[in-house]
Amino acid sequence: PTARHEDVMVVDPSGTWLADFTQRMSKHEVELIRSPVTQVPFINVLGLQKYAENNMRVKSDCISSSAKFLPLPTTRLFLEYMAHEIPRVLGGIRIKKDLVTDLKPVDAAELERLQIPSGIRVHFASGGSLVAHQVVYCGDSAVPNVPSCIQPHITHPPKGM
């Protein structure tokens, strides 16, 4: 819900939303997004299609491969739509220019001091940290970064292999 946006923080090294995706699409000159126009990260699944219609871009930027399937948007249209929608939809969400380096459970004494039932301490490359109620961690898939609280539970090789 929009009312909870002030409680959300996105941590990204670029300081912007979808920066890595935008950079990869531009770098590799990807012409079409492989997902249909209804696959967007917002509640309104028809938003991109309506955006294309409102800007008279359906014929030029929504490519139909078959009458059976929805059209595919061009990367240009998709990124333009994201730039248009993100401030509107995600207004109030804080974006921190930093990198998450570790996640640790908050100990009982700190939970009591903070008067919260549970928490995860998020550590940043800048040296700071904060306590979060929930964390969704989407790190670099090329470089494994296992939080220190998980490392003791890892077996090598994994059981069953």
Side-chain angles (χ1 to χ4, degrees):
T2 306
R4 301 282 318 251
H5 282 189
E6 69 274 1
D7 297 336
V8 175
M9 177 186 289
V10 173
V11 180
D12 189 278
S14 72
T16 60
W17 187 273
L18 289 176
D20 188 50
F21 175 82
T22 302
Q23 188 177 37
R24 277 185 282 134
M25 294 297 112
S26 299
K27 177 183 172 183
H28 298 294
E29 298 179 2
V30 176
E31 190 174 329
L32 290 175
I33 301 295
R34 294 188 310 170
S35 301
V37 292
T38 56
Q39 299 298 308
V40 293
F42 306 118
I43 292 172
N44 182 1
V45 297
L46 298 177
L48 176 56
Q49 195 164 1
K50 294 280 187 209
Y51 181 82
E53 289 169 6
N54 291 343
N55 290 284
M56 301 205 280
R57 306 262 302 276
V58 173
K59 288 184 180 181
S60 62
D61 287 306
C62 294
I63 312 304
S64 292
S65 59
S66 164
K68 291 182 181 181
F69 301 104
L70 291 169
L72 303 176
T74 62
T75 301
R76 180 180 63 241
L77 176 67
F78 184 81
L79 293 175
E80 186 181 301
Y81 175 67
M82 293 295 115
H84 177 266
E85 284 296 289
I86 286 169
R88 189 185 71 73
V89 175
L90 302 180
I93 290 180
R94 296 169 291 159
I95 299 179
K96 178 177 178 60
K97 184 176 182 175
D98 212 330
L99 184 68
V100 173
T101 58
D102 201 6
L103 304 170
K104 294 181 179 178
V106 177
D107 64 41
E110 188 174 10
L111 291 174
E112 189 173 324
R113 184 180 61 77
L114 296 171
Q115 298 181 340
I116 56 174
S118 63
I120 301 165
R121 181 156 295 281
V122 182
H123 294 267
F124 303 111
S126 64
S129 71
L130 63 79
V131 174
H133 178 67
Q134 295 178 343
V135 174
V136 176
Y137 178 75
C138 303
D140 184 348
S141 61
V143 181
N145 182 3
V146 180
S148 61
C149 61
I150 302 297
Q151 289 173 354
H153 305 287
I154 297 174
T155 59
H156 296 282
K159 293 177 183 174
M161 293 192 76

